[in-house]
Amino acid sequence: MTATATRVLVLNSGSSSVKYQLLDMRDGARLAVGLVERIGEGSSRLAHTPLATGGEQRETEGAMADHEAALKAVAAELAADGLGLDSPELAAIGHRVVHGGLKFTEPTVIDDAVLAEIERLVPLAPLHNPANITGIRTARALRPDLPQVAVFDTAFHTTMPEYAARYALDVETADRHRIRRYGFHGTSHAYVSRTTAALLGKDPSEVNVIVLHLGNGASASAVAGGRCVDTSMGLTPLEGLVMGTRSGDIDPAVTFHLKRVAGMSEDEVDELLNKQSGLVGLCGDNDMREIRRRIDAGGEDGARARLAFDIYIHRLKKYLGAYSAVLGRVDAVAFTAGVGENAAPVREAAIAGLEEMGMAVDADLNARRSGEPRLISPEYARVAVAVVPTDEELEIAQQTYALVSA
Ligand code: AMP
């Protein structure tokens, strides 16, 4: 890396998509952002916004057969703005990798051995790790000399004590099949818990925070002095909170029942719990804006949406209670991601009635819209309630840059 290399390209490769951001690490500024969708399908689409030049979003449609074609198209777009992958200013590429197992507790420079280990984890994240691996392989082929760093969604949770991470299953079976609670959204929980501490003017080591990452996927974490001590997602992202399309916590015997009594196959049960449950299963919608609109419209349809909302909130309250007990002392609750950052009614309802736990929300502060981290609790409240916009790309870029510039 040259002394002038201050840019990091962040890649988030999905099975048929690649999201990317190019950041300048001197100030965290975004130079370009974009998304390729429908890779491997007839009509792929690349949307690229060159923020550095103040240019408009450019859209390209056309077949991109695979991730290599997609990344080459991204590289061409970046090059058109003078931000090409061959630029000496590019310090590294940071890859989001969903599953790092127990092995990867930190961001890691990728070599052949690291890649092989990420492959060994495919059975634990069959939908995500293969796409991440494809993105890494393609990027390495394009710039073999450039450091490439894997930043793992599970890493922040590897500090969980054994009694929080282990299921009460037969130990030998669990260990043989690597069954334990890993947790996900770790990059977001790390970023948001640290930013919440900064908002309180404290060092992360001084505060205990409950982070509620409420997006289409949703997870809670209990962070004590900057270290994760519990989180709601488990072996897979299915456990925990009610999500857009996932059930979250459920009696595992429901799955036996669905197979034995309803005659469903393994794949059908998987599809039901991951894609057709949660808010969508309860009321047909997974967009919180639409759910609130239906509640406000009233009637029978509104009652159905209300029940979905109430189930969602009830689960949130249970986790707030559980993690308050786990932490002993809570300094802050931080809401983040699409729902957490935007849905004031969710924040209000989740905290309502928790005054005895020191938690309250100020209606005016809660109603205010802003893209900045902010407090929404009244001054008298013992526990700070905050809204903290998450920024997983910035966190990945910072972790990547810290590693390659050390
Ligand atoms: P994410 O996965 O973090 O992108 O969050 C996506 C979810 O955020 C959507 O499914 C919506 O439910 C929710 N969301 C986004 N914007 C709003 C908004 N203005 N009000 C309420 N919910 C929102």
mmCIF file of all heavy atoms in Angstrom, residues 15-54:
data_model
loop_
_atom_site.group_PDB
_atom_site.id
_atom_site.type_symbol
_atom_site.label_atom_id
_atom_site.label_comp_id
_atom_site.label_asym_id
_atom_site.label_seq_id
_atom_site.Cartn_x
_atom_site.Cartn_y
_atom_site.Cartn_z
ATOM 1 N N SER A 15 -26.436 -13.591 -3.659
ATOM 2 C CA SER A 15 -26.466 -14.656 -4.663
ATOM 3 C C SER A 15 -26.704 -14.102 -6.064
ATOM 4 O O SER A 15 -26.147 -14.598 -7.028
ATOM 5 C CB SER A 15 -27.527 -15.686 -4.303
ATOM 6 O OG SER A 15 -28.765 -15.040 -4.149
ATOM 7 N N SER A 16 -27.503 -13.043 -6.193
ATOM 8 C CA SER A 16 -27.730 -12.478 -7.530
ATOM 9 C C SER A 16 -27.527 -10.968 -7.536
ATOM 10 O O SER A 16 -28.002 -10.268 -8.416
ATOM 11 C CB SER A 16 -29.145 -12.809 -8.006
ATOM 12 O OG SER A 16 -30.084 -12.165 -7.168
ATOM 13 N N SER A 17 -26.824 -10.478 -6.530
ATOM 14 C CA SER A 17 -26.625 -9.019 -6.460
ATOM 15 C C SER A 17 -25.257 -8.677 -5.884
ATOM 16 O O SER A 17 -24.641 -9.502 -5.205
ATOM 17 C CB SER A 17 -27.714 -8.392 -5.568
ATOM 18 O OG SER A 17 -27.495 -8.781 -4.229
ATOM 19 N N VAL A 18 -24.790 -7.478 -6.190
ATOM 20 C CA VAL A 18 -23.589 -6.948 -5.535
ATOM 21 C C VAL A 18 -23.881 -5.499 -5.168
ATOM 22 O O VAL A 18 -24.284 -4.707 -6.025
ATOM 23 C CB VAL A 18 -22.349 -6.974 -6.457
ATOM 24 C CG1 VAL A 18 -21.160 -6.320 -5.754
ATOM 25 C CG2 VAL A 18 -21.989 -8.392 -6.865
ATOM 26 N N LYS A 19 -23.734 -5.174 -3.885
ATOM 27 C CA LYS A 19 -23.820 -3.774 -3.465
ATOM 28 C C LYS A 19 -22.396 -3.287 -3.230
ATOM 29 O O LYS A 19 -21.574 -4.042 -2.705
ATOM 30 C CB LYS A 19 -24.592 -3.649 -2.150
ATOM 31 C CG LYS A 19 -26.090 -3.783 -2.323
ATOM 32 C CD LYS A 19 -26.790 -3.403 -1.033
ATOM 33 C CE LYS A 19 -27.850 -4.424 -0.721
ATOM 34 N NZ LYS A 19 -28.179 -4.601 0.637
ATOM 35 N N TYR A 20 -22.110 -2.061 -3.582
ATOM 36 C CA TYR A 20 -20.735 -1.586 -3.376
ATOM 37 C C TYR A 20 -20.719 -0.116 -2.984
ATOM 38 O O TYR A 20 -21.653 0.640 -3.283
ATOM 39 C CB TYR A 20 -19.888 -1.809 -4.640
ATOM 40 C CG TYR A 20 -20.373 -1.065 -5.850
ATOM 41 C CD1 TYR A 20 -19.865 0.201 -6.169
ATOM 42 C CD2 TYR A 20 -21.343 -1.604 -6.678
ATOM 43 C CE1 TYR A 20 -20.314 0.890 -7.286
ATOM 44 C CE2 TYR A 20 -21.805 -0.918 -7.797
ATOM 45 C CZ TYR A 20 -21.291 0.327 -8.098
ATOM 46 O OH TYR A 20 -21.749 1.015 -9.192
ATOM 47 N N GLN A 21 -19.662 0.243 -2.304
ATOM 48 C CA GLN A 21 -19.403 1.650 -1.972
ATOM 49 C C GLN A 21 -17.899 1.863 -2.008
ATOM 50 O O GLN A 21 -17.144 1.023 -1.515
ATOM 51 C CB GLN A 21 -19.900 1.993 -0.562
ATOM 52 C CG GLN A 21 -21.407 2.012 -0.433
ATOM 53 C CD GLN A 21 -21.880 2.725 0.839
ATOM 54 O OE1 GLN A 21 -21.071 3.207 1.621
ATOM 55 N NE2 GLN A 21 -23.187 2.768 1.017
ATOM 56 N N LEU A 22 -17.496 2.975 -2.584
ATOM 57 C CA LEU A 22 -16.091 3.365 -2.538
ATOM 58 C C LEU A 22 -15.978 4.534 -1.571
ATOM 59 O O LEU A 22 -16.676 5.543 -1.736
ATOM 60 C CB LEU A 22 -15.610 3.775 -3.939
ATOM 61 C CG LEU A 22 -14.133 4.168 -4.036
ATOM 62 C CD1 LEU A 22 -13.226 2.952 -3.830
ATOM 63 C CD2 LEU A 22 -13.838 4.802 -5.408
ATOM 64 N N LEU A 23 -15.140 4.363 -0.541
ATOM 65 C CA LEU A 23 -15.030 5.400 0.488
ATOM 66 C C LEU A 23 -13.609 5.932 0.569
ATOM 67 O O LEU A 23 -12.644 5.203 0.322
ATOM 68 C CB LEU A 23 -15.419 4.851 1.861
ATOM 69 C CG LEU A 23 -16.874 4.419 2.021
ATOM 70 C CD1 LEU A 23 -17.003 2.918 1.860
ATOM 71 C CD2 LEU A 23 -17.390 4.814 3.395
ATOM 72 N N ASP A 24 -13.505 7.209 0.931
ATOM 73 C CA ASP A 24 -12.197 7.803 1.212
ATOM 74 C C ASP A 24 -12.027 7.812 2.719
ATOM 75 O O ASP A 24 -12.810 8.456 3.444
ATOM 76 C CB ASP A 24 -12.135 9.234 0.655
ATOM 77 C CG ASP A 24 -10.716 9.795 0.751
ATOM 78 O OD1 ASP A 24 -9.995 9.415 1.703
ATOM 79 O OD2 ASP A 24 -10.343 10.590 -0.117
ATOM 80 N N MET A 25 -11.014 7.094 3.210
ATOM 81 C CA MET A 25 -10.899 6.902 4.651
ATOM 82 C C MET A 25 -10.294 8.097 5.386
ATOM 83 O O MET A 25 -10.218 8.085 6.613
ATOM 84 C CB MET A 25 -10.103 5.619 4.957
ATOM 85 C CG MET A 25 -10.744 4.365 4.392
ATOM 86 S SD MET A 25 -12.561 4.344 4.524
ATOM 87 C CE MET A 25 -12.762 4.284 6.294
ATOM 88 N N ARG A 26 -9.913 9.140 4.641
ATOM 89 C CA ARG A 26 -9.433 10.331 5.358
ATOM 90 C C ARG A 26 -10.587 10.978 6.113
ATOM 91 O O ARG A 26 -10.422 11.512 7.202
ATOM 92 C CB ARG A 26 -8.810 11.332 4.380
ATOM 93 C CG ARG A 26 -7.405 10.915 3.956
ATOM 94 C CD ARG A 26 -6.880 11.793 2.887
ATOM 95 N NE ARG A 26 -7.721 11.743 1.685
ATOM 96 C CZ ARG A 26 -7.402 12.278 0.521
ATOM 97 N NH1 ARG A 26 -6.274 12.918 0.390
ATOM 98 N NH2 ARG A 26 -8.208 12.175 -0.513
ATOM 99 N N ASP A 27 -11.801 10.920 5.511
ATOM 100 C CA ASP A 27 -12.959 11.523 6.179
ATOM 101 C C ASP A 27 -14.210 10.651 6.111
ATOM 102 O O ASP A 27 -15.283 11.061 6.547
ATOM 103 C CB ASP A 27 -13.263 12.900 5.559
ATOM 104 C CG ASP A 27 -13.461 12.801 4.051
ATOM 105 O OD1 ASP A 27 -13.413 11.676 3.512
ATOM 106 O OD2 ASP A 27 -13.673 13.853 3.422
ATOM 107 N N GLY A 28 -14.066 9.442 5.570
ATOM 108 C CA GLY A 28 -15.219 8.549 5.467
ATOM 109 C C GLY A 28 -16.182 8.923 4.349
ATOM 110 O O GLY A 28 -17.280 8.368 4.263
ATOM 111 N N ALA A 29 -15.773 9.861 3.476
ATOM 112 C CA ALA A 29 -16.681 10.320 2.409
ATOM 113 C C ALA A 29 -16.925 9.207 1.390
ATOM 114 O O ALA A 29 -16.023 8.444 1.057
ATOM 115 C CB ALA A 29 -16.082 11.534 1.703
ATOM 116 N N ARG A 30 -18.175 9.135 0.923
ATOM 117 C CA ARG A 30 -18.508 8.187 -0.144
ATOM 118 C C ARG A 30 -18.166 8.815 -1.483
ATOM 119 O O ARG A 30 -18.668 9.898 -1.793
ATOM 120 C CB ARG A 30 -20.015 7.902 -0.154
ATOM 121 C CG ARG A 30 -20.381 6.681 0.619
ATOM 122 C CD ARG A 30 -21.257 7.068 1.766
ATOM 123 N NE ARG A 30 -21.613 5.911 2.541
ATOM 124 C CZ ARG A 30 -21.383 5.818 3.848
ATOM 125 N NH1 ARG A 30 -20.799 6.785 4.500
ATOM 126 N NH2 ARG A 30 -21.750 4.760 4.515
ATOM 127 N N LEU A 31 -17.360 8.131 -2.273
ATOM 128 C CA LEU A 31 -16.992 8.637 -3.601
ATOM 129 C C LEU A 31 -17.939 8.083 -4.657
ATOM 130 O O LEU A 31 -18.221 8.751 -5.651
ATOM 131 C CB LEU A 31 -15.549 8.252 -3.925
ATOM 132 C CG LEU A 31 -14.517 8.705 -2.874
ATOM 133 C CD1 LEU A 31 -13.139 8.190 -3.215
ATOM 134 C CD2 LEU A 31 -14.512 10.226 -2.774
ATOM 135 N N ALA A 32 -18.399 6.858 -4.442
ATOM 136 C CA ALA A 32 -19.341 6.247 -5.375
ATOM 137 C C ALA A 32 -20.103 5.140 -4.657
ATOM 138 O O ALA A 32 -19.554 4.482 -3.765
ATOM 139 C CB ALA A 32 -18.603 5.661 -6.573
ATOM 140 N N VAL A 33 -21.360 4.962 -5.017
ATOM 141 C CA VAL A 33 -22.155 3.867 -4.457
ATOM 142 C C VAL A 33 -22.941 3.225 -5.594
ATOM 143 O O VAL A 33 -23.227 3.879 -6.599
ATOM 144 C CB VAL A 33 -23.151 4.348 -3.368
ATOM 145 C CG1 VAL A 33 -22.433 5.052 -2.239
ATOM 146 C CG2 VAL A 33 -24.231 5.256 -3.947
ATOM 147 N N GLY A 34 -23.273 1.971 -5.421
ATOM 148 C CA GLY A 34 -24.044 1.345 -6.489
ATOM 149 C C GLY A 34 -24.515 -0.048 -6.131
ATOM 150 O O GLY A 34 -24.209 -0.600 -5.063
ATOM 151 N N LEU A 35 -25.263 -0.604 -7.062
ATOM 152 C CA LEU A 35 -25.904 -1.898 -6.856
ATOM 153 C C LEU A 35 -26.069 -2.588 -8.206
ATOM 154 O O LEU A 35 -26.520 -1.959 -9.173
ATOM 155 C CB LEU A 35 -27.288 -1.646 -6.229
ATOM 156 C CG LEU A 35 -28.303 -2.774 -6.217
ATOM 157 C CD1 LEU A 35 -27.857 -3.866 -5.257
ATOM 158 C CD2 LEU A 35 -29.682 -2.257 -5.799
ATOM 159 N N VAL A 36 -25.663 -3.859 -8.266
ATOM 160 C CA VAL A 36 -25.986 -4.674 -9.438
ATOM 161 C C VAL A 36 -27.019 -5.697 -8.989
ATOM 162 O O VAL A 36 -26.831 -6.361 -7.971
ATOM 163 C CB VAL A 36 -24.754 -5.445 -9.989
ATOM 164 C CG1 VAL A 36 -25.065 -5.990 -11.377
ATOM 165 C CG2 VAL A 36 -23.525 -4.572 -10.028
ATOM 166 N N GLU A 37 -28.096 -5.808 -9.748
ATOM 167 C CA GLU A 37 -29.160 -6.758 -9.409
ATOM 168 C C GLU A 37 -29.366 -7.741 -10.554
ATOM 169 O O GLU A 37 -29.009 -7.457 -11.680
ATOM 170 C CB GLU A 37 -30.489 -6.016 -9.205
ATOM 171 C CG GLU A 37 -30.520 -5.100 -8.017
ATOM 172 C CD GLU A 37 -31.776 -4.239 -8.035
ATOM 173 O OE1 GLU A 37 -31.902 -3.410 -8.952
ATOM 174 O OE2 GLU A 37 -32.621 -4.420 -7.165
ATOM 175 N N ARG A 38 -29.988 -8.832 -10.214
ATOM 176 C CA ARG A 38 -30.399 -9.853 -11.196
ATOM 177 C C ARG A 38 -29.216 -10.394 -11.990
ATOM 178 O O ARG A 38 -29.305 -10.626 -13.187
ATOM 179 C CB ARG A 38 -31.468 -9.293 -12.146
ATOM 180 C CG ARG A 38 -32.691 -8.746 -11.411
ATOM 181 C CD ARG A 38 -33.861 -8.515 -12.336
ATOM 182 N NE ARG A 38 -33.630 -7.555 -13.380
ATOM 183 C CZ ARG A 38 -33.968 -6.257 -13.315
ATOM 184 N NH1 ARG A 38 -34.580 -5.792 -12.237
ATOM 185 N NH2 ARG A 38 -33.725 -5.448 -14.311
ATOM 186 N N ILE A 39 -28.080 -10.619 -11.273
ATOM 187 C CA ILE A 39 -26.906 -11.227 -11.931
ATOM 188 C C ILE A 39 -27.269 -12.662 -12.320
ATOM 189 O O ILE A 39 -27.885 -13.377 -11.536
ATOM 190 C CB ILE A 39 -25.688 -11.242 -10.969
ATOM 191 C CG1 ILE A 39 -25.295 -9.808 -10.603
ATOM 192 C CG2 ILE A 39 -24.500 -11.971 -11.593
ATOM 193 C CD1 ILE A 39 -24.315 -9.721 -9.453
ATOM 194 N N GLY A 40 -26.881 -13.036 -13.531
ATOM 195 C CA GLY A 40 -27.171 -14.399 -13.993
ATOM 196 C C GLY A 40 -28.560 -14.536 -14.577
ATOM 197 O O GLY A 40 -28.947 -15.608 -15.036
ATOM 198 N N GLU A 41 -29.323 -13.459 -14.553
ATOM 199 C CA GLU A 41 -30.649 -13.492 -15.172
ATOM 200 C C GLU A 41 -30.553 -12.726 -16.495
ATOM 201 O O GLU A 41 -29.574 -12.042 -16.759
ATOM 202 C CB GLU A 41 -31.687 -12.865 -14.235
ATOM 203 C CG GLU A 41 -31.855 -13.671 -12.959
ATOM 204 C CD GLU A 41 -32.722 -12.979 -11.924
ATOM 205 O OE1 GLU A 41 -33.578 -12.169 -12.300
ATOM 206 O OE2 GLU A 41 -32.531 -13.271 -10.736
ATOM 207 N N GLY A 42 -31.572 -12.825 -17.287
ATOM 208 C CA GLY A 42 -31.551 -12.226 -18.627
ATOM 209 C C GLY A 42 -31.254 -10.735 -18.609
ATOM 210 O O GLY A 42 -30.418 -10.244 -19.365
ATOM 211 N N SER A 43 -31.924 -10.014 -17.700
ATOM 212 C CA SER A 43 -31.777 -8.556 -17.715
ATOM 213 C C SER A 43 -31.213 -8.069 -16.389
ATOM 214 O O SER A 43 -31.944 -7.770 -15.451
ATOM 215 C CB SER A 43 -33.139 -7.904 -17.963
ATOM 216 O OG SER A 43 -34.001 -8.206 -16.894
ATOM 217 N N SER A 44 -29.892 -8.007 -16.305
ATOM 218 C CA SER A 44 -29.257 -7.484 -15.089
ATOM 219 C C SER A 44 -29.316 -5.963 -15.131
ATOM 220 O O SER A 44 -29.469 -5.366 -16.201
ATOM 221 C CB SER A 44 -27.811 -7.936 -15.009
ATOM 222 O OG SER A 44 -27.704 -9.303 -15.317
ATOM 223 N N ARG A 45 -29.204 -5.372 -13.938
ATOM 224 C CA ARG A 45 -29.290 -3.909 -13.872
ATOM 225 C C ARG A 45 -28.203 -3.396 -12.943
ATOM 226 O O ARG A 45 -28.030 -3.906 -11.835
ATOM 227 C CB ARG A 45 -30.666 -3.526 -13.322
ATOM 228 C CG ARG A 45 -30.839 -2.048 -13.043
ATOM 229 C CD ARG A 45 -32.280 -1.771 -12.620
ATOM 230 N NE ARG A 45 -32.409 -0.424 -12.108
ATOM 231 C CZ ARG A 45 -32.221 -0.087 -10.826
ATOM 232 N NH1 ARG A 45 -31.887 -0.999 -9.934
ATOM 233 N NH2 ARG A 45 -32.358 1.170 -10.444
ATOM 234 N N LEU A 46 -27.454 -2.404 -13.428
ATOM 235 C CA LEU A 46 -26.432 -1.763 -12.603
ATOM 236 C C LEU A 46 -26.824 -0.306 -12.400
ATOM 237 O O LEU A 46 -27.047 0.419 -13.375
ATOM 238 C CB LEU A 46 -25.064 -1.863 -13.321
ATOM 239 C CG LEU A 46 -23.922 -0.967 -12.833
ATOM 240 C CD1 LEU A 46 -23.622 -1.191 -11.359
ATOM 241 C CD2 LEU A 46 -22.668 -1.224 -13.631
ATOM 242 N N ALA A 47 -26.958 0.097 -11.148
ATOM 243 C CA ALA A 47 -27.237 1.505 -10.835
ATOM 244 C C ALA A 47 -26.025 2.054 -10.107
ATOM 245 O O ALA A 47 -25.634 1.528 -9.048
ATOM 246 C CB ALA A 47 -28.481 1.615 -9.967
ATOM 247 N N HIS A 48 -25.409 3.082 -10.672
ATOM 248 C CA HIS A 48 -24.136 3.604 -10.148
ATOM 249 C C HIS A 48 -24.270 5.108 -9.923
ATOM 250 O O HIS A 48 -24.717 5.830 -10.803
ATOM 251 C CB HIS A 48 -23.029 3.330 -11.181
ATOM 252 C CG HIS A 48 -21.704 3.928 -10.834
ATOM 253 N ND1 HIS A 48 -20.810 3.295 -10.010
ATOM 254 C CD2 HIS A 48 -21.133 5.104 -11.183
ATOM 255 C CE1 HIS A 48 -19.723 4.053 -9.886
ATOM 256 N NE2 HIS A 48 -19.905 5.165 -10.579
ATOM 257 N N THR A 49 -23.897 5.559 -8.728
ATOM 258 C CA THR A 49 -23.954 6.999 -8.454
ATOM 259 C C THR A 49 -22.562 7.508 -8.101
ATOM 260 O O THR A 49 -21.991 7.123 -7.069
ATOM 261 C CB THR A 49 -24.930 7.297 -7.285
ATOM 262 O OG1 THR A 49 -26.165 6.654 -7.560
ATOM 263 C CG2 THR A 49 -25.169 8.790 -7.149
ATOM 264 N N PRO A 50 -21.982 8.356 -8.955
ATOM 265 C CA PRO A 50 -20.636 8.885 -8.695
ATOM 266 C C PRO A 50 -20.715 10.120 -7.799
ATOM 267 O O PRO A 50 -20.724 11.243 -8.276
ATOM 268 C CB PRO A 50 -20.133 9.244 -10.105
ATOM 269 C CG PRO A 50 -21.381 9.543 -10.890
ATOM 270 C CD PRO A 50 -22.525 8.832 -10.238
ATOM 271 N N LEU A 51 -20.765 9.870 -6.498
ATOM 272 C CA LEU A 51 -20.962 10.983 -5.558
ATOM 273 C C LEU A 51 -19.791 11.976 -5.587
ATOM 274 O O LEU A 51 -19.994 13.177 -5.392
ATOM 275 C CB LEU A 51 -21.150 10.436 -4.137
ATOM 276 C CG LEU A 51 -22.371 9.529 -3.958
ATOM 277 C CD1 LEU A 51 -22.344 8.860 -2.598
ATOM 278 C CD2 LEU A 51 -23.657 10.315 -4.133
ATOM 279 N N ALA A 52 -18.572 11.475 -5.872
ATOM 280 C CA ALA A 52 -17.383 12.337 -5.837
ATOM 281 C C ALA A 52 -17.502 13.476 -6.834
ATOM 282 O O ALA A 52 -17.077 14.600 -6.562
ATOM 283 C CB ALA A 52 -16.133 11.514 -6.136
ATOM 284 N N THR A 53 -18.104 13.180 -7.985
ATOM 285 C CA THR A 53 -18.206 14.213 -9.022
ATOM 286 C C THR A 53 -19.567 14.904 -8.981
ATOM 287 O O THR A 53 -19.866 15.743 -9.825
ATOM 288 C CB THR A 53 -18.013 13.575 -10.425
ATOM 289 O OG1 THR A 53 -19.008 12.543 -10.582
ATOM 290 C CG2 THR A 53 -16.635 12.974 -10.581
ATOM 291 N N GLY A 54 -20.391 14.512 -8.032
ATOM 292 C CA GLY A 54 -21.733 15.099 -7.933
ATOM 293 C C GLY A 54 -22.635 14.686 -9.080
ATOM 294 O O GLY A 54 -23.657 15.315 -9.356
#
